[in-house]
């Protein structure tokens, strides 16, 4: 899941110490005010973790978001930012959707446009859904099976609608024979619509995560006669409780109630506010100030407060703060095409030679940055094991193991060390801080790493291009990733499967081409027993982690602001620890 961070420069080490002290006070219930100026009392520190803060069904009012980054696209086919997927549930519905529940309870799927979860037959290759009665578009016309099929078929139009997830496309049409709805009017034969209320998916082979893919906004219906192709994201047609009223890219967005949405057909979305507004500004520190002053309710981008904002919020408004785990891992990847990272021992030398505590501190400390990473599978994914720590990264308080690093350098034929380059995005200051912390510790074992910043908006053509990576000697790439959906396939396949080594837009930065990993993914996809599938996920994670293709930095956490005006607030595991936007109300 691509997730855009913001530029929040500051002294990471100093701010981490301050935040840690304030969080310790907050956890004990001492100090700080309880009212953010937005009206009413705040619910308390971590009040929205694993439970609902200010439970309410009261309708009315305006819910006010503020952000520093617009969506990559508001078109459900094209959007790939986590916050956008969360927000899209205001105006898109899918056959099934994550449950409206706190924490990991949200990972359970519930029927949405469908009457029930899929009827699975034919050895796990056929999924059949029957649609609910009374589901309509914003103009009152019924949502049909054909609308859902057409919305999904848009994933094949990558020449017009690039950028979004293509899990369904790759699963239903792995050979890419279908050319998309704009070029092939006959439609995708793998999806059948025998009548307006029935839709049938015929997979070429079983995939245990197919229903998870159906819950993604990229599987939302689109009415063919309303499809404006590349312009659809300017005003998508609503199947949910709200519809677009006014959108000015990078400035503002206003949603109002969809009067033809029927609560009786939707058991997931609360739809409490009368209106939802988004204000977009460019200064993240100003954003924090406006949140804390009570002008706005929450951060659209859900990236957490900046160092200054954290300190202010925890000192004066601790009861408006939550500290969720995001489901993301922040890490360094080692491209194998860049020497000497084709040698596992040179990769291990960097893992052992890095000071994991100093990197954690650079990212904001244990609370604002996250626990020190031990392996490459987030805790929200079935089969994960945060205690699996084959390199002992949490031992000795995360300090570098210089002896092991030097031993590995000898094994890889570089006893005196080597030179390399760390690639970091120039709009991700926390990445620069992480790189500099890494650089300082590696130098002690003879690894001289130059930090090179690149345009963060050009990921696809720079670090996403293996030829450019090799040419620039990017031996270390700092990045992060969260699950597209909560399975090892939804998290790890874009990063680790050989089919995802792409000439441009590559996310398999380590360039892993391992037949064992590929076979394990095939085994996972064909395994319909959840317990057995989780065991395969564990094996995939161990294989990748043991291959030393990555250095995990942290299992990411953030400091989130929650306005005192908000009701029905909870952090959801389905959207990377963000608040479940579709359930929020305002006082």
């Amino acid at each position: 899941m691509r997730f855009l961070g913001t530029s929040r420069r500051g002294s990471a080490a100093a701010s981490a110490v301050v935040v840690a002290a304030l969080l310790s006070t907050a956890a004990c219930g001492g100090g700080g005010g309880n009212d953010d100026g937005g009206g009413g009392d705040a619910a308390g520190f971590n009040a929205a973790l694993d439970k609902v803060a200010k439970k309410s069904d009261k309708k009315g009012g305006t819910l006010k978001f503020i952000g520093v980054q617009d969506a990559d696209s508001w078109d459900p086919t094209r959007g790939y930012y986590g916050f956008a997927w969360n927000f899209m549930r205001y105006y898109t519905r899918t056959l099934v959707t994550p449950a409206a529940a706190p924490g990991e309870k949200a990972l359970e799927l519930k029927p949405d446009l469908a009457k029930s979860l899929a009827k699975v037959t034919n050895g796990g290759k056929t999924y059949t859904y029957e649609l609910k009665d009374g589901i309509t578009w914003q103009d009152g016309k019924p949502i049909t099976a054909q609308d859902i099929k057409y919305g999904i078929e848009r994933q094949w139009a990558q020449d017009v609608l690039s950028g979004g997830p293509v899990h369904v496309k790759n699963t239903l049409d792995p050979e890419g024979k279908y050319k998309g709805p704009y070029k092939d009017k006959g439609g995708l034969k793998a999806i059948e619509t025998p009548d307006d209320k029935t839709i049938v998916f015929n997979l070429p082979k079983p995939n245990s995560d197919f229903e998870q893919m159906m819950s993604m906004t990229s599987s939302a219906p689109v009415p063919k006669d309303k499809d404006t192709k590349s312009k659809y994201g300017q005003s998508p047609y609503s199947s949910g409780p709200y519809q677009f009223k006014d959108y000015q890219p990078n400035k503002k967005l206003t949603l109002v109630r969809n009067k033809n949405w029927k609560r009786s057909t939707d058991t997931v979305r609360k739809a409490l506010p009368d209106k939802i507004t988004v204000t977009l500004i460019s200064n993240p520190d100003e954003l924090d100030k406006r949140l804390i002053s009570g002008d706005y309710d929450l951060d659209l981008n859900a990236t957490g407060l900046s160092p200054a904002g954290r300190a202010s919020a925890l000192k004066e408004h601790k009861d408006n703060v939550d500290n969720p785990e995001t489901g993301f891992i922040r890490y360094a990847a080692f491209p194998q095409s860049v020497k000497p990272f084709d040698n596992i021992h040179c990769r291990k030398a960097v893992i052992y030679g890095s000071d994991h505590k100093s990197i954690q501190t650079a990212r904001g400390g244990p609370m604002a940055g996250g626990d020190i990473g031990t392996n490459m599978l987030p805790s929200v994914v079935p089969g994960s094991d945060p205690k699996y720590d084959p390199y002992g990264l949490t031992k000795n308080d995360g300090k570098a193991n210089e002896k092991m690093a030097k031993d590995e350098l000898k094994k890889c034929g570089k006893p005196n060390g080597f030179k390399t380059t760390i690639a970091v995005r120039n709009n991700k200051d926390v990445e620069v801080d992480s790189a500099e912390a890494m650089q300082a510790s590696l130098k002690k074992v003879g690894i001289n790493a130059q930090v090179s910043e690149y345009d963060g908006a050009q990921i696809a053509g720079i670090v996403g291009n293996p030829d450019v990576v090799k040419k620039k000697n990017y031996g270390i790439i700092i990045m992060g990733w969260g699950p597209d959906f909560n399975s090892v396939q939804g998290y790890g396949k874009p990063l680790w499967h050989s089919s995802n080594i792409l000439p441009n837009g590559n996310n398999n930065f380590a360039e892993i081409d391992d037949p064992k990993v590929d076979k394990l993914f095939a085994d996972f996809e064909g395994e319909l027993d959840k317990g057995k599938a989780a065991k395969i996920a564990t094996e995939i994670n161990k294989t990748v982690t043991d291959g030393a293709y990555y250095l995990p930095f942290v299992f990411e956490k953030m400091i989130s602001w929650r306005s005192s005006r908000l009701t029905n607030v909870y952090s959801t595991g389905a959207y990377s620890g963000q608040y479940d936007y579709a359930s929020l109300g305002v006082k």
Side-chain angles (χ1 to χ4, degrees), residues 149-471:
K149 178 180 179 179
Y150 183 78
I152 292 171
E153 286 175 337
R154 294 173 86 241
Q155 289 184 33
W156 276 257
Q158 287 296 302
D159 56 333
V160 180
L161 306 175
S162 62
V166 290
H167 296 286
V168 176
K169 174 181 178 293
N170 293 341
T171 300
L172 290 179
D173 183 27
E175 296 181 11
K177 293 182 178 180
Y178 177 55
K179 301 306 177 185
Y182 306 145
K183 294 180 178 179
D184 185 343
K185 304 301 181 183
L188 177 65
K189 291 180 173 56
I191 305 177
E192 299 175 9
T193 54
D195 56 60
D196 288 352
K197 300 293 289 293
T198 307
I199 186 165
V200 183
F201 299 89
N202 296 296
L203 284 62
K205 61 181 181 179
N207 191 308
S208 56
D209 284 332
F210 186 72
E211 200 152 35
Q212 292 274 8
M213 299 174 196
M214 290 293 97
S215 74
M216 301 174 71
T217 55
S218 53
S219 296
V222 172
K224 188 174 183 179
D225 62 345
K226 302 295 182 183
D227 184 9
T228 53
K229 299 183 179 179
S230 62
K231 296 180 181 178
Y232 189 71
Q234 298 292 311
S235 186
Y237 216 59
S238 178
S239 55
Y242 298 91
Q243 65 187 58
F244 273 51
K245 180 183 179 183
D246 178 34
Y247 175 46
Q248 297 178 35
N250 300 309
K251 291 183 180 179
K252 66 178 182 178
L253 169 62
T254 302
L255 303 184
V256 294
R257 288 194 181 278
N258 169 11
K259 295 179 180 178
N260 284 303
W261 171 80
K262 298 179 182 67
R263 182 176 294 277
S264 60
T265 72
D266 193 338
T267 59
V268 175
R269 297 160 186 80
K270 287 284 188 180
L272 299 179
D274 287 333
K275 185 165 70 171
I276 298 163
T277 63
V278 174
T279 300
L280 296 167
I281 63 174
S282 60
N283 187 326
D285 292 320
E286 180 65 21
L287 178 146
D288 290 349
K289 290 177 183 177
R290 293 188 188 184
L291 285 172
I292 293 170
S293 68
D295 294 338
Y296 295 91
D297 298 311
L298 71 167
D299 175 9
L300 172 72
N301 309 127
T303 54
L305 293 166
S306 65
R310 287 177 217 149
S312 174
L314 289 166
K315 184 177 181 180
E316 301 171 10
H317 309 281
K318 64 177 176 57
D319 289 348
N320 293 95
V321 168
D322 294 305
N323 188 210
E325 187 172 320
T326 69
F328 274 68
I329 296 179
R330 301 295 171 177
Y331 54 74
F334 309 127
Q336 295 175 82
S337 62
V338 179
K339 291 185 179 297
F341 292 98
D342 56 339
N343 187 309
I344 188 173
H345 297 292
C346 285
R347 301 197 296 270
K348 286 184 177 181
V350 173
I351 294 173
Y352 285 120
S354 296
D355 188 315
H356 308 281
K357 181 70 171 182
S358 67
I359 295 171
Q360 179 196 46
T361 300
R363 301 198 69 88
M367 306 300 281
D371 294 334
I372 291 174
T374 53
N375 60 72
M376 286 303 296
L377 202 60
S379 63
V380 296
V381 175
S384 67
D385 180 8
K387 294 181 180 178
Y388 183 63
D389 187 6
Y391 303 106
L393 306 186
T394 58
K395 292 180 180 178
N396 194 26
D397 197 28
K399 296 294 183 184
N401 188 333
E402 295 183 13
K403 181 182 181 302
M404 286 295 293
K406 290 177 180 178
D407 287 347
E408 294 293 339
L409 284 172
K410 291 177 184 176
K411 291 178 182 178
C412 80
K414 301 286 184 181
N416 298 318
F418 57 86
K419 294 181 179 180
T420 192
T421 302
I422 305 175
V424 294
R425 289 173 278 188
N426 64 2
N427 63 339
K428 284 268 198 174
D429 293 318
V430 70
E431 288 189 0
V432 178
D433 293 336
S434 304
E436 290 173 349
M438 194 176 183
Q439 177 189 47
S441 55
L442 290 177
K443 190 173 184 179
K444 296 178 181 178
V445 297
I447 300 173
N448 292 302
Q450 173 188 351
V451 178
S452 176
E453 299 184 34
Y454 65 91
D455 183 352
Q458 303 297 322
I459 293 174
I462 300 179
V463 295
N465 184 315
D467 289 339
V468 172
V469 167
K470 186 175 181 179
K471 182 179 179 181

Side-chain angles (χ1 to χ4, degrees), residues 30-100:
N34 294 329
D35 189 349
D36 70 346
D41 291 332
F45 177 68
N46 272 346
L49 289 192
D50 300 319
K51 53 187 178 294
V52 180
K54 290 191 169 183
K55 190 176 293 187
S56 174
D57 289 320
K58 187 177 180 180
K59 300 178 187 177
T62 298
L63 174 60
K64 296 181 289 185
F65 287 87
I66 186 171
V68 295
Q69 172 65 50
D70 205 344
D72 47 345
S73 176
W74 293 116
D75 182 335
T77 301
R78 305 185 73 179
Y80 214 151
Y81 289 159
F83 73 84
W85 289 354
N86 193 354
F87 192 90
M88 283 178 189
R89 289 215 295 174
Y90 284 132
Y91 59 89
T92 63
R93 296 180 67 179
T94 44
L95 288 165
V96 295
T97 194

